[in-house]
Amino acid sequence: MMTCTRLSNFFLLIFLPYLSFGQLRDTAYVQPINSKLILGARLSVKDYQMAFHSPVDGILHFQNAGINLGFRAKYKKVGLSFSLPLTSLNSPASGNPKHLGFSVNLYRPSFFLRAGLRRFSGFTELDADPAVFRSDMKMWHGTLRGFYLLNHPRFSLRSSFKLNERQKKNQGSFLISALLGTQVLDTDSLNITLRNQNKLQLEGYRSYKFGLGGGYAYTFTHKRWFATLAATTGGEFRRIKFNKAEEIQNKNQWRISTRLNGQIGLGYNSSKFYLALNGYYLPGADFTDDLNVRVVDTQFNLMMGWRFQRFDELELED
């Protein structure tokens, strides 16, 4: 009993500083950058891929990818941003895939929250020769995911991904992560051969998931330059539904799977100008008795912006 008590006191001593929700930011490590007016631009590369695995046919691999150009303006607390599709990254001869959606990113000192809903219309089958464009394939993809930063007084995700703060010293933080998500695919028909040689005519695929996990993030900084790496992993509870041709009811399957998320940010951040490259890599897998589906959601953003009429008293200097 005495050993258990000592161990519990030891872990409380280690983690109690991280679990204090009322801690103030340590300005020796994290420094705000406030401006009345910010003007910026963003170039985004978005790549969404699905792979259906068949033990007989191999992999049916589909992609919807493109480049968007966006602009941002913010005056005091009010901001507006929008983006337009610039070009598709799919094969030029394969059709015209479309990608529409919106997202909300909330970076607070102690947590990050992102909500997004996207609509993909048309996918290119990458393994076909020549490439085949499937205009009938349409996917809805919705996510709500977030992190809680245990070391938020001395570590900032906003410094690398929102750029309204500066990480002044090298520092890291353990993360607690959570995820809600759904994927809904509708198609005329995908013919997939199963292990027993039966043909699966897939007309719809739905996945609903809830996950909890943890990870770690660290920022290397040198004067106004920074590089941030973050990774989380955890388990997910998934409800998977397949709509099959000539079947009245969907086939429901519950599964528990793991998920690894990666996020990166690097760039230059000063009181008047910022230039940054950030992105994320979100793979996922749904394994069932009949079919295995893998999804990879990747995005990279090149951002630049100018700050005007700085009214804060904190100088962004070493």
Side-chain angles (χ1 to χ4, degrees):
M1 181 65 69
M2 183 64 67
T3 301
C4 294
T5 303
R6 289 177 178 176
L7 283 175
S8 62
N9 290 338
F10 172 76
F11 284 110
L12 282 175
L13 181 64
I14 295 296
F15 290 103
L16 187 60
Y18 295 116
L19 298 175
S20 300
F21 289 87
Q23 295 182 85
L24 298 176
R25 309 305 294 278
D26 188 340
T27 55
Y29 286 83
V30 180
Q31 186 178 45
I33 308 174
N34 296 318
S35 303
K36 275 190 176 181
L37 177 64
I38 299 176
L39 298 177
R42 176 197 301 252
L43 192 66
S44 300
V45 178
K46 302 179 180 181
D47 188 359
Y48 190 87
Q49 299 187 25
M50 293 183 296
F52 297 87
H53 293 248
S54 165
V56 178
D57 301 327
I59 299 177
L60 300 178
H61 195 182
F62 299 92
Q63 180 187 45
N64 182 309
I67 300 177
N68 291 359
L69 179 63
F71 300 93
R72 176 192 180 212
K74 181 182 178 183
Y75 182 74
K76 293 185 177 180
K77 299 290 186 179
V78 180
L80 175 66
S81 62
F82 65 94
S83 63
L84 300 172
L86 194 62
T87 184
S88 170
L89 293 179
N90 290 55
S91 173
S94 64
N96 182 27
K98 297 179 181 179
H99 173 198
L100 300 174
F102 74 93
S103 64
V104 178
N105 296 284
L106 181 61
Y107 284 94
R108 301 300 300 163
S110 59
F111 68 90
F112 157 74
L113 186 65
R114 183 181 190 274
L117 180 63
R118 291 179 290 169
R119 169 74 165 174
F120 301 92
S121 297
F123 284 80
T124 299
E125 185 175 352
L126 298 180
D127 299 306
D129 188 17
V132 176
F133 180 67
R134 294 290 302 265
S135 60
D136 61 292
M137 296 183 64
K138 296 176 174 57
M139 168 73 84
W140 284 98
H141 181 81
T143 57
L144 175 63
R145 66 186 183 96
F147 305 142
Y148 179 78
L149 285 68
L150 295 178
N151 188 25
H152 59 84
R154 293 186 174 184
F155 179 77
S156 171
L157 279 179
R158 302 200 294 183
S159 64
S160 300
F161 299 101
K162 195 175 180 181
L163 301 168
N164 62 351
E165 292 180 339
R166 176 193 173 197
Q167 186 75 46
K168 298 179 65 178
K169 298 180 180 180
N170 294 352
Q171 192 65 208
S173 175
F174 287 101
L175 307 173
I176 299 174
S177 62
L179 170 72
L180 287 173
T182 182
Q183 297 166 167
V184 180
L185 171 69
D186 291 313
T187 179
D188 288 348
S189 180
L190 287 179
N191 296 316
I192 302 173
T193 306
L194 305 179
R195 288 184 177 87
N196 56 11
Q197 301 297 320
N198 290 336
K199 287 288 186 179
L200 170 64
Q201 288 185 288
L202 187 68
E203 293 187 344
Y205 158 70
R206 288 161 173 77
S207 174
Y208 307 92
K209 54 203 168 190
F210 168 72
L212 289 173
Y216 192 77
Y218 195 88
T219 294
F220 303 89
T221 182
H222 176 67
K223 296 184 178 179
R224 299 174 180 84
W225 297 91
F226 67 87
T228 298
L229 297 174
T232 60
T233 187
E236 291 181 352
F237 296 90
R238 293 173 176 257
R239 185 187 184 191
I240 306 164
K241 304 173 68 177
F242 294 105
N243 295 340
K244 301 179 182 180
E246 301 179 356
E247 285 193 8
I248 298 176
Q249 294 183 347
N250 299 326
K251 185 170 183 179
N252 299 335
Q253 298 191 17
W254 286 92
R255 289 291 186 269
I256 300 177
S257 61
T258 58
R259 184 183 183 99
L260 175 65
N261 299 332
Q263 198 162 325
I264 185 173
L266 52 93
Y268 175 88
N269 190 15
S270 73
S271 59
K272 296 181 180 180
F273 173 77
Y274 64 82
L275 176 66
L277 175 68
N278 61 52
Y280 60 77
Y281 174 74
L282 305 177
D286 293 331
F287 299 103
T288 70
D289 296 335
D290 292 333
L291 186 66
N292 295 337
V293 183
R294 296 182 183 273
V295 174
V296 177
D297 184 12
T298 307
Q299 180 173 329
F300 287 97
N301 306 300
L302 179 62
M303 308 186 308
M304 66 173 58
W306 292 264
R307 301 183 175 98
F308 302 92
Q309 303 177 36
R310 185 167 57 87
F311 61 86
D312 63 309
E313 296 181 355
L314 292 175
E315 294 289 339
L316 190 63
E317 302 293 343
D318 294 321

